[in-house]
Amino acid sequence: MPDNQNSYRIDRRGALECMVWAGAGVVWTLNGGVPTSSLLVGATARAAEGAGFSFLQISDSHVGFNKPANPDALGTLKEAIDKVKALPARPAFMIHTGDITHLSKPEQFDDADKIIGGASLDVHYVPGEHDLLDENNGKAYLDRYGKNAKGSGWYSFDAGGAHFVGLVNVTNLKAGGMGSLGDEQLAWLADDLKGRSASTPVVVFAHIPLWTVYPEWGWGTGDSEQALTLLKRFGSVTVLNGHIHQVMQKVEGAVTFHTARSTAFPQPAPGTAAGPGPMLVPAEKLRTMLGLTSITLKKGAHGLAITDSPLV
Amino acid sequence: MNIFNIFSLRIAAVLAVSMMMVAPCVPASRAADAEITIDNFSFHPDKLSVKAGTTIVFRNRDDIPHTVASAEGVFRSEALDTDDAFSFTFDKPGVYPFFCSLHPKMTGEIIVTP
């Protein structure tokens, strides 16, 4: 991603404008530890060219969904992966922020793996609530994606000079509540972050937003404040989520919160419908509301660049 | 026909077969005495009083799967896809709060009287 004044580097105001864009994906760039976003179409390609390190986020594939809001969720996932394959510079890896499948059926996981595998990139997954519907409450997910994970599927790794933390906030949900991390995972997070330099950029990803987007629809995580307290001392924190099938961004101090589009179907903006279910839009509009995200981290810069791109 | 159409046909076929294999959730010998539906991420009605021995059917009419789970662990359905149903017979008087374990803002209450 170019650094100069006519680049796609997005300041805070620009990032908010980015929320308004309907699109399919976000490219995340780590620039010396500060995240920046840009639109996937066109901008993604440029981001990938200029940056030392970039990765992609896809979310909410809902493989197996075939209702009127998108009768072919597998097809639109394929379109998103085709976009990834067409990037001029390869991202380092991909993260998937959950709801890989619609109903956790083995053939849905198989189909998702086949299509996503077509990108030939390492993929770091966290589960959505739709991925833990097997009779053993998530064993199917963990058997596939959780080999190096703790508990219900959380883990961390280092890449591109940043520390990445994948969290699970879709298990053991309580009546009337929102997403939940739970004490065991919070204790693990405290231990995981302990001793790390505050100058290390941290990227946290989980399915349900770790900030309260709209509590009436459960779009938030009840105990996320405890996680954010543990992250307070770090100079650059980027939080990447899915679940709400639309782009939203918020900056609070050193923390940038961002949600990605789904590759399957859009959901309504908070409070604009009777409920948060799949939103039926005219067929020609659907692909403007699906997409992916690219993130670039640049050495010497101060932020990750986040780019959301629609499928069209 | 392109490859994506073939994929979606395959999924449709698999779904059709799996639906046929699922036994009806309500045994024929025991008719539903009352029904609660799920629409737009909420239970309708979300509060219901019944006599002990009543069987209640919970039916999901959303495009998204939901569950019906007792907040106190008395009963818990599997994930209910569109038009799937779960039934439970409330034999003992008492108050039974329940929710969707996937979308826990969805709550309701069954009051069972003697």
Short mmCIF file of all heavy atoms in Angstrom, two decimals, chain B residues 67-107:
data_model
loop_
_atom_site.label_atom_id
_atom_site.label_comp_id
_atom_site.label_asym_id
_atom_site.label_seq_id
_atom_site.Cartn_x
_atom_site.Cartn_y
_atom_site.Cartn_z
N THR B 67 -31.98 -22.75 18.78
CA THR B 67 -32.21 -23.85 19.71
C THR B 67 -33.22 -23.40 20.74
O THR B 67 -33.52 -22.21 20.87
CB THR B 67 -30.92 -24.29 20.46
OG1 THR B 67 -30.55 -23.26 21.38
CG2 THR B 67 -29.77 -24.56 19.49
N VAL B 68 -33.76 -24.38 21.47
CA VAL B 68 -34.61 -24.09 22.62
C VAL B 68 -33.95 -24.79 23.79
O VAL B 68 -33.82 -26.02 23.80
CB VAL B 68 -36.04 -24.62 22.42
CG1 VAL B 68 -36.89 -24.27 23.62
CG2 VAL B 68 -36.64 -24.07 21.14
N ALA B 69 -33.50 -24.02 24.76
CA ALA B 69 -32.77 -24.60 25.89
C ALA B 69 -33.33 -24.06 27.20
O ALA B 69 -33.54 -22.85 27.34
CB ALA B 69 -31.28 -24.27 25.79
N SER B 70 -33.57 -24.96 28.13
CA SER B 70 -33.98 -24.54 29.47
C SER B 70 -32.82 -23.80 30.11
O SER B 70 -31.67 -24.24 30.05
CB SER B 70 -34.33 -25.78 30.29
OG SER B 70 -34.21 -25.50 31.66
N ALA B 71 -33.11 -22.66 30.74
CA ALA B 71 -32.04 -21.91 31.40
C ALA B 71 -31.50 -22.68 32.60
O ALA B 71 -30.41 -22.39 33.09
CB ALA B 71 -32.57 -20.54 31.85
N GLU B 72 -32.28 -23.68 33.06
CA GLU B 72 -31.85 -24.46 34.23
C GLU B 72 -31.46 -25.89 33.85
O GLU B 72 -31.33 -26.76 34.70
CB GLU B 72 -32.97 -24.46 35.28
CG GLU B 72 -33.10 -23.11 35.95
CD GLU B 72 -34.53 -22.79 36.38
OE1 GLU B 72 -35.43 -23.62 36.14
OE2 GLU B 72 -34.73 -21.69 36.93
N GLY B 73 -31.29 -26.12 32.56
CA GLY B 73 -30.80 -27.43 32.12
C GLY B 73 -31.85 -28.53 32.10
O GLY B 73 -31.50 -29.71 32.02
N VAL B 74 -33.15 -28.19 32.16
CA VAL B 74 -34.20 -29.21 32.19
C VAL B 74 -34.37 -29.85 30.80
O VAL B 74 -34.63 -31.05 30.68
CB VAL B 74 -35.54 -28.60 32.66
CG1 VAL B 74 -36.63 -29.67 32.73
CG2 VAL B 74 -35.36 -27.93 34.02
N PHE B 75 -34.23 -29.06 29.75
CA PHE B 75 -34.36 -29.59 28.37
C PHE B 75 -33.48 -28.75 27.46
O PHE B 75 -33.12 -27.61 27.79
CB PHE B 75 -35.82 -29.56 27.89
CG PHE B 75 -36.46 -28.20 28.00
CD1 PHE B 75 -36.36 -27.27 26.96
CD2 PHE B 75 -37.17 -27.83 29.15
CE1 PHE B 75 -36.95 -26.02 27.07
CE2 PHE B 75 -37.75 -26.58 29.26
CZ PHE B 75 -37.64 -25.66 28.22
N ARG B 76 -33.14 -29.34 26.32
CA ARG B 76 -32.30 -28.62 25.36
C ARG B 76 -32.47 -29.28 24.00
O ARG B 76 -32.24 -30.48 23.85
CB ARG B 76 -30.83 -28.68 25.79
CG ARG B 76 -29.91 -27.85 24.92
CD ARG B 76 -28.45 -28.10 25.34
NE ARG B 76 -27.55 -27.27 24.56
CZ ARG B 76 -27.04 -26.11 24.99
NH1 ARG B 76 -27.33 -25.68 26.20
NH2 ARG B 76 -26.23 -25.42 24.23
N SER B 77 -32.87 -28.50 23.01
CA SER B 77 -33.04 -29.08 21.67
C SER B 77 -31.70 -29.08 20.95
O SER B 77 -30.75 -28.41 21.36
CB SER B 77 -34.03 -28.24 20.87
OG SER B 77 -33.41 -27.06 20.41
N GLU B 78 -31.63 -29.84 19.86
CA GLU B 78 -30.52 -29.67 18.93
C GLU B 78 -30.79 -28.41 18.13
O GLU B 78 -31.82 -27.77 18.29
CB GLU B 78 -30.44 -30.89 18.01
CG GLU B 78 -30.12 -32.16 18.77
CD GLU B 78 -29.81 -33.32 17.84
OE1 GLU B 78 -30.32 -33.32 16.69
OE2 GLU B 78 -29.06 -34.20 18.26
N ALA B 79 -29.87 -28.06 17.24
CA ALA B 79 -30.11 -26.90 16.38
C ALA B 79 -31.31 -27.18 15.49
O ALA B 79 -31.40 -28.25 14.87
CB ALA B 79 -28.88 -26.63 15.53
N LEU B 80 -32.26 -26.26 15.47
CA LEU B 80 -33.46 -26.41 14.64
C LEU B 80 -33.29 -25.55 13.40
O LEU B 80 -33.24 -24.33 13.50
CB LEU B 80 -34.70 -25.96 15.42
CG LEU B 80 -34.93 -26.62 16.79
CD1 LEU B 80 -36.11 -25.95 17.49
CD2 LEU B 80 -35.15 -28.11 16.64
N ASP B 81 -33.21 -26.19 12.25
CA ASP B 81 -33.15 -25.43 11.00
C ASP B 81 -34.57 -24.96 10.66
O ASP B 81 -35.54 -25.29 11.35
CB ASP B 81 -32.58 -26.32 9.89
CG ASP B 81 -32.09 -25.50 8.70
OD1 ASP B 81 -32.09 -24.25 8.78
OD2 ASP B 81 -31.73 -26.11 7.68
N THR B 82 -34.69 -24.23 9.58
CA THR B 82 -36.00 -23.69 9.18
C THR B 82 -37.06 -24.79 9.16
O THR B 82 -36.84 -25.85 8.56
CB THR B 82 -35.88 -23.07 7.78
OG1 THR B 82 -34.79 -22.15 7.81
CG2 THR B 82 -37.16 -22.34 7.40
N ASP B 83 -38.17 -24.55 9.84
CA ASP B 83 -39.33 -25.45 9.91
C ASP B 83 -39.10 -26.70 10.77
O ASP B 83 -40.01 -27.51 10.91
CB ASP B 83 -39.83 -25.86 8.52
CG ASP B 83 -40.36 -24.66 7.73
OD1 ASP B 83 -40.90 -23.74 8.37
OD2 ASP B 83 -40.23 -24.65 6.49
N ASP B 84 -37.92 -26.86 11.35
CA ASP B 84 -37.73 -27.95 12.31
C ASP B 84 -38.45 -27.61 13.60
O ASP B 84 -38.68 -26.43 13.92
CB ASP B 84 -36.24 -28.14 12.63
CG ASP B 84 -35.48 -28.86 11.52
OD1 ASP B 84 -36.13 -29.34 10.58
OD2 ASP B 84 -34.24 -28.93 11.60
N ALA B 85 -38.82 -28.67 14.35
CA ALA B 85 -39.53 -28.44 15.61
C ALA B 85 -38.94 -29.31 16.70
O ALA B 85 -38.30 -30.33 16.45
CB ALA B 85 -41.01 -28.74 15.43
N PHE B 86 -39.16 -28.90 17.92
CA PHE B 86 -38.72 -29.62 19.11
C PHE B 86 -39.91 -29.64 20.07
O PHE B 86 -40.63 -28.65 20.19
CB PHE B 86 -37.54 -28.90 19.75
CG PHE B 86 -37.21 -29.35 21.16
CD1 PHE B 86 -36.55 -30.55 21.40
CD2 PHE B 86 -37.57 -28.57 22.26
CE1 PHE B 86 -36.25 -30.96 22.69
CE2 PHE B 86 -37.27 -28.97 23.56
CZ PHE B 86 -36.60 -30.17 23.78
N SER B 87 -40.14 -30.78 20.72
CA SER B 87 -41.26 -30.80 21.66
C SER B 87 -40.80 -31.28 23.01
O SER B 87 -39.83 -32.05 23.14
CB SER B 87 -42.38 -31.69 21.13
OG SER B 87 -42.00 -33.04 21.19
N PHE B 88 -41.48 -30.83 24.03
CA PHE B 88 -41.18 -31.24 25.40
C PHE B 88 -42.48 -31.27 26.18
O PHE B 88 -43.32 -30.39 26.03
CB PHE B 88 -40.19 -30.26 26.06
CG PHE B 88 -39.71 -30.72 27.41
CD1 PHE B 88 -38.70 -31.67 27.51
CD2 PHE B 88 -40.29 -30.22 28.58
CE1 PHE B 88 -38.26 -32.11 28.76
CE2 PHE B 88 -39.86 -30.67 29.83
CZ PHE B 88 -38.84 -31.60 29.92
N THR B 89 -42.63 -32.31 26.99
CA THR B 89 -43.83 -32.44 27.81
C THR B 89 -43.52 -31.97 29.23
O THR B 89 -42.59 -32.47 29.87
CB THR B 89 -44.31 -33.90 27.82
OG1 THR B 89 -44.56 -34.30 26.47
CG2 THR B 89 -45.60 -34.04 28.64
N PHE B 90 -44.29 -31.00 29.66
CA PHE B 90 -44.06 -30.40 30.97
C PHE B 90 -44.96 -31.09 32.00
O PHE B 90 -46.12 -30.75 32.19
CB PHE B 90 -44.35 -28.89 30.91
CG PHE B 90 -43.35 -28.15 30.04
CD1 PHE B 90 -43.50 -28.09 28.66
CD2 PHE B 90 -42.25 -27.52 30.62
CE1 PHE B 90 -42.58 -27.43 27.88
CE2 PHE B 90 -41.32 -26.85 29.83
CZ PHE B 90 -41.49 -26.81 28.46
N ASP B 91 -44.39 -32.09 32.67
CA ASP B 91 -45.19 -32.89 33.62
C ASP B 91 -45.26 -32.25 35.00
O ASP B 91 -46.22 -32.46 35.72
CB ASP B 91 -44.58 -34.30 33.73
CG ASP B 91 -44.88 -35.14 32.49
OD1 ASP B 91 -45.97 -34.96 31.92
OD2 ASP B 91 -44.01 -35.92 32.08
N LYS B 92 -44.21 -31.54 35.38
CA LYS B 92 -44.15 -31.02 36.76
C LYS B 92 -44.48 -29.54 36.80
O LYS B 92 -43.92 -28.75 36.04
CB LYS B 92 -42.74 -31.21 37.32
CG LYS B 92 -42.43 -32.63 37.70
CD LYS B 92 -41.10 -32.69 38.45
CE LYS B 92 -40.67 -34.14 38.65
NZ LYS B 92 -39.25 -34.26 38.91
N PRO B 93 -45.37 -29.14 37.71
CA PRO B 93 -45.67 -27.70 37.86
C PRO B 93 -44.41 -26.91 38.21
O PRO B 93 -43.51 -27.42 38.89
CB PRO B 93 -46.67 -27.67 39.03
CG PRO B 93 -47.27 -29.04 39.06
CD PRO B 93 -46.18 -29.98 38.63
N GLY B 94 -44.37 -25.69 37.74
CA GLY B 94 -43.21 -24.85 38.03
C GLY B 94 -43.03 -23.79 36.95
O GLY B 94 -43.83 -23.69 36.01
N VAL B 95 -41.96 -23.02 37.08
CA VAL B 95 -41.64 -21.99 36.09
C VAL B 95 -40.39 -22.42 35.34
O VAL B 95 -39.39 -22.81 35.96
CB VAL B 95 -41.41 -20.63 36.79
CG1 VAL B 95 -41.02 -19.57 35.75
CG2 VAL B 95 -42.66 -20.20 37.54
N TYR B 96 -40.47 -22.43 34.03
CA TYR B 96 -39.38 -22.93 33.19
C TYR B 96 -38.87 -21.82 32.25
O TYR B 96 -39.39 -21.67 31.13
CB TYR B 96 -39.85 -24.12 32.36
CG TYR B 96 -40.25 -25.33 33.18
CD1 TYR B 96 -41.54 -25.44 33.70
CD2 TYR B 96 -39.35 -26.35 33.43
CE1 TYR B 96 -41.92 -26.54 34.46
CE2 TYR B 96 -39.71 -27.47 34.18
CZ TYR B 96 -41.00 -27.56 34.70
OH TYR B 96 -41.35 -28.64 35.45
N PRO B 97 -37.89 -21.05 32.66
CA PRO B 97 -37.30 -20.08 31.74
C PRO B 97 -36.50 -20.81 30.66
O PRO B 97 -35.87 -21.83 30.93
CB PRO B 97 -36.39 -19.23 32.63
CG PRO B 97 -36.12 -20.06 33.83
CD PRO B 97 -37.25 -21.04 33.98
N PHE B 98 -36.58 -20.31 29.43
CA PHE B 98 -35.81 -20.94 28.34
C PHE B 98 -35.25 -19.86 27.43
O PHE B 98 -35.65 -18.69 27.49
CB PHE B 98 -36.68 -21.94 27.57
CG PHE B 98 -37.86 -21.31 26.86
CD1 PHE B 98 -37.76 -20.87 25.54
CD2 PHE B 98 -39.08 -21.15 27.52
CE1 PHE B 98 -38.84 -20.29 24.89
CE2 PHE B 98 -40.16 -20.57 26.87
CZ PHE B 98 -40.04 -20.14 25.55
N PHE B 99 -34.29 -20.26 26.58
CA PHE B 99 -33.64 -19.30 25.67
C PHE B 99 -33.08 -20.04 24.47
O PHE B 99 -33.08 -21.27 24.44
CB PHE B 99 -32.55 -18.51 26.41
CG PHE B 99 -31.32 -19.31 26.78
CD1 PHE B 99 -30.08 -19.00 26.23
CD2 PHE B 99 -31.39 -20.37 27.69
CE1 PHE B 99 -28.94 -19.73 26.57
CE2 PHE B 99 -30.25 -21.10 28.04
CZ PHE B 99 -29.03 -20.78 27.48
N CYS B 100 -32.60 -19.30 23.50
CA CYS B 100 -31.87 -19.90 22.37
C CYS B 100 -30.39 -19.84 22.71
O CYS B 100 -29.85 -18.75 22.95
CB CYS B 100 -32.15 -19.12 21.07
SG CYS B 100 -31.00 -19.58 19.72
N SER B 101 -29.74 -21.00 22.75
CA SER B 101 -28.34 -21.02 23.19
C SER B 101 -27.40 -20.42 22.15
O SER B 101 -26.23 -20.16 22.43
CB SER B 101 -27.92 -22.45 23.54
OG SER B 101 -28.01 -23.27 22.39
N LEU B 102 -27.90 -20.19 20.93
CA LEU B 102 -27.08 -19.54 19.89
C LEU B 102 -27.26 -18.03 19.92
O LEU B 102 -26.35 -17.28 19.59
CB LEU B 102 -27.48 -20.05 18.50
CG LEU B 102 -27.38 -21.55 18.30
CD1 LEU B 102 -27.87 -21.93 16.91
CD2 LEU B 102 -25.95 -22.01 18.49
N HIS B 103 -28.47 -17.60 20.27
CA HIS B 103 -28.81 -16.16 20.29
C HIS B 103 -29.48 -15.88 21.63
O HIS B 103 -30.71 -15.80 21.71
CB HIS B 103 -29.74 -15.83 19.12
CG HIS B 103 -29.26 -16.37 17.80
ND1 HIS B 103 -29.80 -17.49 17.22
CD2 HIS B 103 -28.27 -15.94 16.98
CE1 HIS B 103 -29.15 -17.74 16.07
NE2 HIS B 103 -28.23 -16.81 15.91
N PRO B 104 -28.68 -15.78 22.69
CA PRO B 104 -29.25 -15.82 24.04
C PRO B 104 -30.11 -14.63 24.42
O PRO B 104 -30.73 -14.64 25.48
CB PRO B 104 -28.01 -15.92 24.95
CG PRO B 104 -26.88 -15.43 24.12
CD PRO B 104 -27.20 -15.75 22.69
N LYS B 105 -30.17 -13.62 23.54
CA LYS B 105 -31.13 -12.54 23.80
C LYS B 105 -32.56 -13.03 23.60
O LYS B 105 -33.52 -12.38 24.00
CB LYS B 105 -30.86 -11.35 22.87
CG LYS B 105 -29.65 -10.53 23.26
CD LYS B 105 -29.94 -9.68 24.49
CE LYS B 105 -28.67 -8.98 24.96
NZ LYS B 105 -28.89 -8.21 26.19
N MET B 106 -32.71 -14.17 22.93
CA MET B 106 -34.04 -14.75 22.72
C MET B 106 -34.41 -15.55 23.97
O MET B 106 -33.81 -16.59 24.23
CB MET B 106 -34.02 -15.69 21.51
CG MET B 106 -33.70 -15.00 20.19
SD MET B 106 -33.39 -16.20 18.86
CE MET B 106 -34.87 -17.21 18.90
N THR B 107 -35.38 -15.05 24.72
CA THR B 107 -35.76 -15.73 25.96
C THR B 107 -37.28 -15.89 26.04
O THR B 107 -38.02 -15.21 25.34
CB THR B 107 -35.29 -14.93 27.19
OG1 THR B 107 -35.88 -13.62 27.14
CG2 THR B 107 -33.77 -14.79 27.22
#
